[in-house]
Structures are given as C-alpha cells and as structure tokens.
Amino acid sequence: MKLAALKQALAAVPQRDLVLAGSLAAAALTAFVLAYATAANPESFVNRSLARYAAWLERNMRALFVFERASRIIGLQAAGLAIVLLAWVALEFKYAGLCAALVVVGPPFWLVRMRRQRVAAIEAQLAAFVQSLANALRSTPSVGAALATLPPLVPQPLRAELELALKQMRVGSTLDQALVDMGGRIGSNLVNTALSTVLVGIRAGGNLPATLETSAAALREMMRLEGVVRMKTASGKMQLWVLGAFPVFFVAVVQKMKPGYFEPMTNGVLGWGLSVIAIVLWLAAIFAGRSIIRIDV
C-alpha cells in the first residue's frame, strides 16, 4: 500500500520538477565527490592548479597594493559558479554559460587590466622621477638621501613604489636591492632601464646628475615616439577589431533572420570540415593582423 501511494504521489508531481530535482541531486553528488577527492589528495591536479592560481592572484594583487586573500577571491568565484548552476538547473537560465565564463575569467581579467594601467601610469611618470632625482642629487651627494626627498614630489602610483623601497632600506636592505625589488614588482622594461642607469651610475661614479638628466631626456623622447606610434596604429587596431567581430555578428544576424541557414555547415563531414577551415583562417587573420600592427619603439 505504501509503495502504491508513493507511486501515485510521484505521478502527481510534474515531470519538469522531477527532472530538476534529479539534476540538482546529481550536481550536488558530483560536487561532493570532487571535493572529497580533492581534499583527500593534496598533490592532485585540482589542488596544484588551485595553488598556482592562488599564487598568481596573490602576486598580482600585491603588485597593485591590494592586500586581499586569494582564498577569498576563489571562494567567491566558487559561490558564483554554484549560484549560476542553480539558476541554470532550477530556472532554466539561458545565459548561464556566459555568466559562468564571467565569474571564472572576470577577476583575472580585471587584475591584468589594472596592472597594465598601473604600469602605463608609472612609465608616464618615469621621466619626471629621473629628472627630480637628478635635481635632488645636486644638493646632496647621497642617492639614498636624495630618494628620501622625492615622495612628496612624485604622484601615485609611483609614489607607493618609492615609499615601499624606502621602507625596505630603513629595515636593512641595501639601495641596490631595494631598487632591484622595485623594478621586479613593477615589471616594466622601461622602469628597469631607468633604475639600471641609476645603479650603474652609482657604481661607476662620475657626474650622476648629468647622466640622469640625459636619461630623463631620452625617456621623454621615447614616450613621445610611443604616443606617435599609438596614434598611427589606432586605425589599424580598429580594423582588427572589426575583422574579429564581424564574422560572429554576421552569423548571429543571418541565423536570427533565417533560422537553419547554416545547418549544412554542421551536418556531415564536409560541412564540419569547411567550418573548421573557416574558423582556422579567421583566427590566422586575427593573429597576422596583431603581428602587423604591433610595433615596438
């Protein structure tokens, strides 16, 4: 009797609700098994990948002077993925794939973008920093003492890097090590060149202020040339964006206006072969365009 009543109750439940409940149970079981297997083996591929990702997040956040734990970022990403999965299974959310991709790629993309902007801002301030150091050296022969007078004159974000280098010197680091660490944190060839000029001038002796003034003039000229190059290649970059986005836009519009128009391209070996060839040629054109418009001063 109980079995018959259970069957009648299940029959009364809509089929869609049963499918959703089964999908949720399967997703929860899969997540539990994966979490247990990962925790049981610290040397697993998942644990090693998470450790590398956490180290990458920590390194980039420290470079941006963002003192946040990487484990919290990863936990928020995992929670976001769980919410997207629940919305997809329970509510049939159409854009679940896009939201999941944003949750996974969003934080790394933001960190990379913010670090590039920070490096660009520091490079723009570099010539003024070298010129200020040369002026300070005319009143004091010590490079360390001259650097200590610069933070009020240097804007952010270069000021934060300089203050950290000065703090390292106060706790026992040498001037050479502090400047080398500063260049490593920023990660810019232009900054490394300027700091190397300072270090070589200290070790070689001679008229260091005059050397730094020459370096500042060279840096200003390099920045001017980079601005000219960016202006001249702006139209090429816009054409590259159009080249990359137009095929996707064209396929989406045609598929919307005439559904099934591209079905021959996904049916049969010949259709898939032509599709693969078209995608490969499209990607090759994008990479070729990037190599053409990429100009280093």
Side-chain angles (χ1 to χ4, degrees):
M1 295 296 294
K2 292 183 178 180
L3 183 60
L6 180 61
K7 289 183 177 179
Q8 290 179 358
L10 291 176
V13 177
Q15 189 70 22
R16 178 176 177 273
D17 294 342
L18 289 176
V19 172
L20 290 178
S23 301
L24 286 173
L29 180 61
T30 303
F32 175 77
V33 171
L34 289 176
Y36 179 79
T38 300
N41 184 14
E43 297 299 326
S44 63
F45 174 76
V46 175
N47 271 331
R48 287 187 281 109
S49 300
L50 286 176
R52 286 195 295 267
Y53 179 54
W56 183 86
L57 287 176
E58 292 279 355
R59 184 168 61 253
N60 283 273
M61 286 190 296
R62 294 298 178 267
L64 292 171
F65 287 74
V66 177
F67 301 102
E68 187 65 60
R69 295 179 61 184
S71 58
R72 184 178 180 184
I73 305 297
I74 296 175
L76 291 175
Q77 286 182 282
L81 287 176
I83 293 172
V84 171
L85 177 62
L86 183 62
W88 176 59
V89 175
L91 304 176
E92 296 183 355
F93 185 50
K94 295 181 180 180
Y95 304 103
L98 177 61
C99 291
L102 290 176
V103 170
V104 174
V105 181
F109 177 79
W110 180 83
L111 281 176
V112 171
R113 185 171 182 271
M114 292 300 295
R115 188 164 185 184
R116 287 179 178 175
Q117 291 180 352
R118 181 183 176 85
V119 170
I122 290 176
E123 289 178 348
Q125 301 165 358
L126 194 58
F129 164 72
V130 175
Q131 184 64 53
S132 299
L133 180 59
N135 295 336
L137 284 172
R138 295 188 183 279
S139 59
T140 175
S142 172
V143 179
L147 285 173
T149 63
L150 295 184
L153 307 176
V154 177
Q156 295 288 2
L158 184 57
R159 181 192 300 174
E161 298 288 348
L162 184 58
E163 289 176 346
L164 182 56
L166 292 173
K167 290 178 182 178
Q168 287 181 267
M169 294 169 59
R170 293 192 190 103
V171 297
S173 294
T174 63
L175 174 63
D176 293 11
Q177 188 61 46
L179 293 180
V180 169
D181 291 343
M182 177 178 170
R185 285 193 307 270
I186 297 173
S188 167
N189 292 330
L190 202 61
V191 174
N192 289 333
T193 301
L195 296 179
S196 298
T197 302
V198 176
L199 294 176
V200 171
I202 294 173
R203 295 179 181 179
N207 192 352
L208 183 57
T211 303
L212 292 179
E213 287 180 349
T214 304
S215 299
L219 288 172
R220 284 192 291 268
E221 182 64 18
M222 288 181 64
M223 296 300 296
R224 186 189 68 81
L225 292 176
E226 286 183 357
V228 172
V229 169
R230 282 195 298 269
M231 182 180 63
K232 296 298 183 181
T233 57
S235 61
K237 291 180 180 179
M238 183 60 64
Q239 293 174 6
L240 182 61
W241 277 104
V242 173
L243 176 66
F246 181 75
V248 179
F249 174 77
F250 176 77
V251 170
V253 171
V254 173
Q255 186 67 21
K256 184 69 174 180
M257 295 176 60
K258 190 174 182 180
Y261 183 81
F262 291 103
E263 285 186 0
M265 302 295 291
T266 58
N267 294 330
V269 178
L270 180 60
W272 277 109
L274 293 176
S275 299
V276 171
I277 292 174
I279 293 173
V280 169
L281 292 176
W282 172 58
L283 294 176
I286 293 176
F287 283 110
R290 281 174 55 88
S291 62
I292 291 173
I293 65 174
R294 184 180 299 169
I295 300 174
D296 294 328
V297 179

